[in-house]
Amino acid sequence: MRDRKQKQSYANWDYSLETSVPTGWTGHSLCVNVWTGENAEQEPSLYTVKAVFILDNDGNRLLSKYYDPELYPSMKEQKNFEKNVFNKTHKADNEIAFLEGMTIVYKSSIDLFFYVVGSAQENELMLMSVLNCLFDSLSQILRKNVERRCLLENMEGVFLVVDEIIDGGVILESDPQQVLQKINYRADDNPLSEQTVAQESSGTQEEAVFMT
């Protein structure tokens, strides 16, 4: 891994970010898209991740967070988008889809579907790193029982994991071990320490409105 500092100008303010990027990766930092070629004329977006959501095998929303306020601002629009994404992907064998101008990476486990959404110009590898980090972190928290019942029983921990990986659409972490350390996960204790849940409960309660 090597450190790289990138600086992007957005409207009338500057945005600087220092991240770690796998050696050999070009064109993108973990959080800022570098626009070249035909995309250079388009306005760069701060939101590397537009949305992340988890659906059950009937397409029902279990968790959903949208980071770009201009993307599907109403609950009805969000659910319609999620329904369209589910219908396009739940029987497909691929790991990536393009729908409504969005790049969507996804994976399934038993009765769950995990989705990470970015713009059409976003690097699929970056989105996939977020998806894998989310899935692997939850797999350890749920003791590899990545299915609907266990997910709902540990929803506080799920919110904590999502927030450690993504903040406001910006990717903070792509290493599941680092995520687990930050939420004080211990393999020989409960899947998520009671102390950590108590400390963060106020924040996760506010996000519970995304569930149905």
Side-chain angles (χ1 to χ4, degrees):
M1 303 288 287
R2 60 186 175 86
D3 290 335
R4 180 170 66 184
K5 187 172 184 180
Q6 292 197 352
K7 189 173 184 180
Q8 292 283 350
S9 177
Y10 298 94
N12 296 322
W13 56 281
D14 289 332
Y15 179 79
S16 295
L17 182 64
E18 186 169 295
T19 61
S20 294
V21 183
T23 301
W25 284 29
T26 60
H28 291 73
S29 73
L30 281 180
C31 302
V32 180
N33 196 353
V34 178
W35 294 64
T36 59
E38 63 180 4
N39 294 329
E41 297 180 357
Q42 301 182 26
E43 183 70 17
S45 173
L46 173 62
Y47 306 99
T48 298
V49 177
K50 298 284 189 178
V52 57
F53 49 89
I54 303 174
L55 309 178
D56 64 17
N57 59 351
D58 293 320
N60 298 315
R61 173 192 288 192
L62 303 178
L63 176 147
S64 184
K65 294 194 69 172
Y66 286 75
Y67 300 101
D68 186 343
E70 297 181 358
L71 178 69
Y72 311 117
S74 71
M75 184 71 70
K76 181 179 180 180
E77 290 174 303
Q78 293 175 10
K79 288 190 173 183
N80 285 339
F81 174 66
E82 292 164 15
K83 180 180 180 181
N84 292 337
V85 170
F86 180 76
N87 290 337
K88 182 179 179 66
T89 61
H90 77 285
K91 292 183 179 180
D93 295 328
N94 300 322
E95 295 182 336
I96 183 171
F98 300 94
L99 183 68
E100 299 184 20
M102 297 289 112
T103 301
I104 305 158
V105 296
Y106 61 96
K107 66 169 51 182
S108 63
S109 175
I110 306 177
D111 54 0
L112 294 175
F113 287 82
F114 299 81
Y115 297 92
V116 175
V117 181
S119 70
Q121 295 80 24
E122 194 54 68
N123 189 328
E124 295 92 342
L125 292 178
M126 299 304 303
L127 298 176
M128 189 62 70
S129 72
V130 174
L131 178 65
N132 290 334
C133 183
L134 173 62
F135 185 87
D136 293 344
S137 299
L138 293 181
S139 179
Q140 294 193 51
I141 285 180
L142 302 177
R143 298 186 182 277
K144 301 189 182 303
N145 296 315
V146 187
E147 47 91 19
R148 186 179 187 275
R149 179 182 61 82
C150 289
L151 184 86
L152 293 177
E153 290 176 352
N154 294 274
M155 191 57 72
E156 295 93 344
V158 177
F159 280 122
L160 292 178
V161 166
V162 172
D163 286 344
E164 288 296 341
I165 298 173
I166 311 163
D167 182 15
V170 177
I171 303 172
L172 299 180
E173 187 58 69
S174 59
D175 183 350
Q177 295 304 318
Q178 292 297 320
V179 172
L180 295 174
Q181 288 181 18
K182 291 177 181 179
I183 65 172
N184 198 25
Y185 171 79
R186 295 186 179 89
D188 56 349
D189 292 335
N190 292 327
L192 185 73
S193 68
E194 295 179 0
Q195 180 181 4
T196 301
V197 172
Q199 291 172 343
E200 301 291 341
S201 59
S202 59
T204 57
Q205 286 172 358
E206 293 178 358
E207 294 169 347
V209 297
F210 290 95
M211 295 174 55
T212 57

